Amino acid sequence: QVQLVESGGGLVQAGGSLRLSCAASGRTFSSYAMGWFRHAPGKERKFVAAISRSGGASTYYVDSVKGRFTISRDNAKNTVYLQMNSLKLEDTAVYYCAANLHSVSSTAGEYDYWGQGTQVTVSS
C-alpha cells in the first residue's frame, strides 16, 4: 500500500504562484512514477504532469501548463512537487497526486494509488 497526502493548495490571484506537495509513505518512493491530475467542476479528471522514478529530464506535461508548471521530486524526502506559476482562472480545480508502480503515464487509469486532493482556486 501507498499513502499519498497532498498539501499546498489555496486561493491565489491570477498570475500568482502556488507549490503543491505530495508526501508519500508505505513503499519505496523511488520505485514508482508520480503524476498530478486535476478535476475541475463539471469536467473530467485531467492529466497535468508526470515524472519518472528517477525524475530529472523525464517529465511530461499537458500542453496547457507547459512553461508555467514544473513537476519535481525529492526521493530522499518521499515527496513530489508541482510548482505552478502564472496561474490562470482555468487552473482552478482539485489537484490530485498519484503513484504508478509500472511506468510514467498520462492516463489516470494506469495509476495505482491516489491522494485525497487539494483545492486550488484562482481568482481574478
Side-chain angles (χ1 to χ4, degrees):
Q1 280 287 68
V2 175
Q3 293 79 43
L4 303 172
V5 180
E6 301 98 334
S7 61
L11 175 64
V12 63
Q13 286 192 323
S17 299
L18 282 175
R19 187 176 82 156
L20 305 183
S21 300
C22 174
S25 61
R27 277 190 66 144
T28 303
F29 182 66
S30 59
S31 66
Y32 40 88
M34 298 296 296
W36 285 96
F37 292 77
R38 63 187 179 187
H39 191 181
K43 298 184 178 180
E44 295 182 352
R45 186 176 299 189
K46 294 293 182 83
F47 168 76
V48 176
I51 189 167
S52 66
R53 293 179 180 87
S54 60
S58 298
T59 57
Y60 307 87
Y61 301 91
V62 66
D63 286 347
S64 60
V65 308
K66 285 180 180 177
R68 299 189 299 122
F69 291 11
T70 302
I71 187 171
S72 62
R73 65 189 297 162
D74 185 336
N75 287 345
K77 295 183 178 179
N78 291 354
T79 302
V80 63
Y81 304 97
L82 186 67
Q83 178 67 45
M84 305 186 296
N85 299 328
S86 302
L87 282 161
K88 303 177 180 180
L89 297 179
E90 53 263 41
D91 294 320
T92 294
V94 178
Y95 283 71
Y96 298 88
C97 71
N100 187 327
L101 299 178
H102 303 287
S103 62
V104 65
S105 172
S106 62
T107 303
E110 295 181 0
Y111 282 77
D112 303 284
Y113 300 100
W114 292 82
Q116 83 290 348
T118 185
Q119 176 71 48
V120 171
T121 303
V122 183
S123 65
S124 59

